[in-house]
Amino acid sequence: MAATPENPTPAAARRKTGRHRGEGQWAVGHFTPLNGNEQFKKDDDGLNVRTRIETVYSKQGFDSIDPNDLRGRMRWWGLYTQRKQGLDGTKTGVLEPEELDDEYFMLRVRIDGGRLTTDQLRVIGEISEEFARGTADITDRQNVQFHWIRIEDVPEIWNRLETVGLSTTEACGDTPRVILGSPVAGIAADEIIDGTPAIDEIQRRIVGNKDFSNLPRKFKSAVSGSPQLDVAHEINDIAFVGVRHPEHGPGFDVWVGGGLSTNPKLGVRLGTWVSLDEVPDVYEGVISIFRDYGYRRLRNRARLKFLVADWGPEKFRQVLEDEYLQRKLTDGPAPEQPAGQWRDHMGVHRQNDGLYYIGFAPRVGRVDGATLTKIAGLAEQHGSGRLRTTADQKMILLDIEEDRIESAVSALEALDLRVNPTPFRRGTMACTGIEFCKLAIVETKARGASLIDELERRIPEFDEPLTININGCPNACARIQVADIGLKGQLVLDDEGNRVEGYQVHLGGALGLEAGFGRKVRGLKVTAAELPDYVERVLKRFQAEREDGERFATWTARASEESLS
């Protein structure tokens, strides 16, 4: 496909007027930046900031950083300023950016497909210990995030990561973010097709390519050939889901336009079947549509989901075929409903080669560098040196001999990494929260960890699949709308009328082929202090009122407001 110049001249067929001309769409000839973000991207590509980090900012220190680099282009290399310590949720959205900024950074390491070697994990652990005060969170995008990073240390961190084949390139920013992949790609006994070659080819073509480094906003993607639908395909900008075509065999069903945040939308099927070899071309076509036709006027409408909602899947597919691929795609079937309600691959499972993989759960994705180094050692001692991160803030050891399973499980459990976790440990996720995030209003990680402990103590007999997702603000990084219990952080009034940390509650959301957004009960908010009592109360009512085999999400859809309050 043709490269896009700095101020691209669209083909005559695309130069048409319409009601979205004022949205800043390049494909209708509107290149004038309509907001500050579009202006700084036009002034200089975000990828170029690396040179300034290496030659100027890392040598002259934090105060030397240009504001458009600090709060803009540095994201193209995975760097965000973290929240200044001691600022509570009342300051979020009130203080100016320079008042919220600390002189330290979050640094995100992209791990496409969630694939790691023990050498890579050991380097991540060492960086955590040496440069990040031990921090290393596993995200629900299969990445690892450090905190407390000094600008002076960034070039050395990059050098160590890149020596073992890791990168922070476009881990943030208005860019093609990490490509989610099935964490058991290539090894699962029930796999439909291994999407790994497609992920590698997309990464080779797209990541770090200036033809795709100025998008309207972030672009999230996923490729999985697992019948377990294990990459949250419904909430990505583009997702490829493994299916079997009755004539052409294994391939992928294509979904576009998913995303959450404050205006959530589920992705829609294009109704196409694409082969493994076709996946990179279709990805490139869809990201090119986003680049050329995406809305650039308002940041809160600059995601692909708004364009898909306005066009509909039929027009989107037509534009993809006619203007970008120059060929028709094959019609194809939808994926089948997966067996079981868990999609996270926890526990011990047989691989397609007779070996075993072991999925294990930290608490809400929070680990530390020393623990990651120990996990790397375990993987070397018990397997082949391969590991994976998951889209549920968890990890997997690969290639374990049957007679080494017991030893591996014992070693993981000794590190408080549960192979057979309770539903509460297994199903609770949390975003970064107010500890480090400038957008957050409330605490999340510590709150999630303590909630797990309380529920395990109070309801030890509870054994139903359950997801509890905790978010520090309305932006839904932890997928609150699609959780059984979604908790959106905000300030609420306690019984004495004081503003305290709390949560708006969403109930009964789900992913999968029965995907849907959670129910909001009118006026239902809980303080952080009340949270364990509230969740215990609702789960006990579910146990008392449910019908045989009824899922929590199904029960919440019919339950009375009294039962849910």
Side-chain angles (χ1 to χ4, degrees):
M1 297 179 187
T4 300
E6 183 176 351
N7 284 328
T9 302
R14 297 189 201 170
R15 189 177 288 278
K16 51 185 178 287
T17 60
R19 70 184 182 93
H20 290 304
R21 183 171 178 80
E23 294 281 11
Q25 295 168 286
W26 289 358
V28 296
H30 198 167
F31 304 116
T32 302
L34 297 175
N35 57 56
N37 287 276
E38 289 302 308
Q39 184 64 57
F40 80 66
K41 289 188 289 183
K42 182 179 181 180
D43 291 342
D44 188 32
D45 192 290
L47 291 173
N48 294 336
V49 77
R50 175 162 178 160
T51 299
R52 292 191 288 278
I53 293 171
E54 292 176 324
T55 62
V56 180
Y57 303 147
S58 65
K59 299 182 184 302
Q60 297 183 13
F62 185 89
D63 291 339
S64 69
I65 304 173
D66 179 274
N68 279 328
D69 286 345
L70 181 66
R71 301 180 192 94
R73 301 183 192 97
M74 289 176 73
R75 299 176 184 180
W76 271 243
W77 289 94
L79 287 157
Y80 281 91
T81 50
Q82 70 184 40
R83 186 186 191 92
K84 188 174 293 183
Q85 298 297 292
L87 299 179
D88 64 28
T90 63
K91 305 299 191 294
T92 302
V94 175
L95 297 182
E96 294 299 319
E98 59 270 18
E99 297 176 287
L100 282 169
D101 287 333
D102 206 342
E103 295 188 1
Y104 296 94
F105 293 86
M106 180 272 285
L107 178 62
R108 182 178 296 158
V109 182
R110 64 180 295 156
I111 305 172
D112 292 274
R115 293 168 291 160
L116 285 169
T117 67
T118 50
D119 287 343
Q120 290 172 331
L121 188 61
R122 185 171 284 108
V123 166
I124 289 172
E126 291 169 352
I127 290 171
S128 167
E129 289 295 290
E130 189 170 345
F131 301 109
R133 302 189 187 181
T135 59
D137 289 340
I138 302 167
T139 77
D140 60 5
R141 300 291 303 174
Q142 296 183 294
N143 295 314
V144 170
Q145 292 181 174
F146 301 121
H147 300 284
W148 298 109
I149 298 297
R150 302 187 317 139
I151 193 64
E152 292 86 349
D153 297 325
V154 170
E156 174 61 19
I157 293 171
W158 280 338
N159 178 62
R160 295 195 192 184
L161 290 171
E162 290 165 5
T163 297
V164 293
L166 292 172
S167 170
T168 70
T169 310
E170 295 177 327
C172 310
D174 297 350
T175 66
R177 304 282 185 93
V178 66
I179 308 159
L180 295 186
S182 172
V184 293
I187 64 163
D190 63 350
E191 185 173 55
I192 297 169
I193 186 171
D194 182 0
T196 303
I199 293 175
D200 289 341
E201 178 60 15
I202 293 167
Q203 189 177 34
R204 186 192 68 78
R205 291 190 197 183
I206 304 296
V207 179
N209 181 346
K210 290 186 177 181
D211 292 342
F212 304 101
S213 60
N214 181 355
L215 302 177
R217 277 197 71 188
K218 68 184 76 169
F219 187 78
K220 295 184 176 182
S221 57
V223 181
S224 174
S226 170
Q228 297 303 312
L229 307 179
D230 54 4
V231 290
H233 66 277
E234 311 91 336
I235 53 174
N236 280 271
D237 293 283
I238 184 171
F240 298 87
V241 181
V243 293
R244 290 186 175 88
H245 193 284
E247 297 176 18
H248 304 292
F252 296 90
D253 187 39
V254 183
W255 296 59
V256 296
L260 296 179
S261 192
T262 55
N263 195 331
K265 296 183 185 298
L266 294 174
V268 296
R269 296 183 59 236
L270 291 186
T272 67
W273 175 93
V274 298
S275 68
L276 180 64
D277 291 341
E278 291 176 302
V279 169
D281 288 342
V282 174
Y283 179 104
E284 188 171 346
V286 171
I287 197 174
S288 297
I289 291 175
F290 182 43
R291 175 195 64 199
D292 300 341
Y293 283 102
Y295 305 153
R296 293 175 181 262
R297 180 171 65 92
L298 298 174
R299 292 287 286 176
N300 62 2
R301 271 182 56 82
R303 291 293 300 276
L304 183 65
K305 62 187 178 182
F306 295 102
L307 182 67
V308 171
D310 286 345
W311 279 8
E314 295 81 9
K315 178 179 177 180
F316 193 95
R317 176 174 171 175
Q318 180 184 356
V319 172
L320 173 64
E321 292 174 334
D322 295 349
E323 298 189 23
Y324 291 88
L325 298 176
Q326 286 86 48
R327 61 183 176 83
K328 296 297 182 183
L329 294 167
T330 303
D331 291 340
E336 297 180 359
Q337 179 69 39
Q341 295 182 42
W342 291 113
R343 309 195 289 180
D344 57 7
H345 306 291
M346 291 297 96
V348 178
H349 302 270
R350 190 176 179 88
Q351 298 180 180
N352 56 17
D353 58 4
L355 299 175
Y356 291 81
Y357 68 85
I358 303 175
F360 57 94
R363 294 173 187 267
V364 294
R366 173 135 290 179
V367 286
D368 56 59
T371 299
L372 291 181
T373 301
K374 292 174 183 176
I375 294 170
L378 286 176
E380 285 184 342
Q381 295 163 16
H382 295 85
S384 66
R386 296 196 298 166
L387 310 99
R388 302 273 171 89
T389 55
T390 82
D392 299 289
Q393 300 183 336
K394 299 176 177 65
M395 295 187 73
I396 299 175
L397 297 184
L398 273 55
D399 309 325
I400 310 297
E401 295 278 359
E402 187 171 6
D403 62 1
R404 301 289 288 157
I405 292 173
E406 184 177 350
S407 173
V409 170
S410 296
L412 289 167
E413 295 277 345
L415 295 174
D416 192 33
L417 301 169
R418 301 300 180 198
V419 173
N420 296 297
T422 66
F424 306 121
R425 169 79 79 103
R426 186 171 187 173
T428 302
M429 293 201 310
C431 72
T432 299
I434 201 169
E435 182 179 10
F436 299 116
C437 179
K438 293 179 294 181
L439 301 177
I441 302 168
V442 304
E443 166 59 41
T444 56
K445 290 289 191 184
R447 194 90 66 220
S450 64
L451 179 62
I452 290 168
D453 290 342
E454 280 296 303
L455 294 175
E456 288 178 343
R457 181 179 66 81
R458 298 183 187 197
I459 327 175
E461 76 284 359
F462 191 91
D463 61 357
E464 293 297 315
L466 184 81
T467 53
I468 303 175
N469 294 11
I470 308 174
N471 218 81
C473 76
N475 288 317
C477 295
R479 310 177 196 159
I480 50 173
Q481 300 99 328
V482 291
D484 286 309
I485 301 175
L487 302 168
K488 182 176 77 174
Q490 56 185 229
L491 298 177
V492 302
L493 297 179
D494 65 12
D495 292 339
E496 285 75 44
N498 301 309
R499 296 178 76 199
V500 297
E501 289 192 1
Y503 303 90
Q504 182 188 65
V505 181
H506 298 240
L507 294 166
L511 293 177
L513 296 184
E514 298 176 1
F517 300 132
R519 172 184 178 184
K520 288 184 284 187
V521 177
R522 184 179 306 169
L524 179 54
K525 300 174 183 178
V526 297
T527 68
E530 296 169 336
L531 185 59
D533 292 340
Y534 169 74
V535 176
E536 178 188 12
R537 184 165 66 247
V538 168
L539 293 182
K540 286 186 174 179
R541 286 173 179 166
F542 164 63
Q543 288 176 311
E545 298 179 11
R546 66 181 299 218
E547 298 174 356
D548 289 344
E550 188 174 29
R551 297 169 55 234
F552 181 83
T554 307
W555 172 75
T556 59
R558 66 173 180 83
S560 67
E561 291 195 358
E562 180 182 0
S563 292
L564 300 178
S565 61

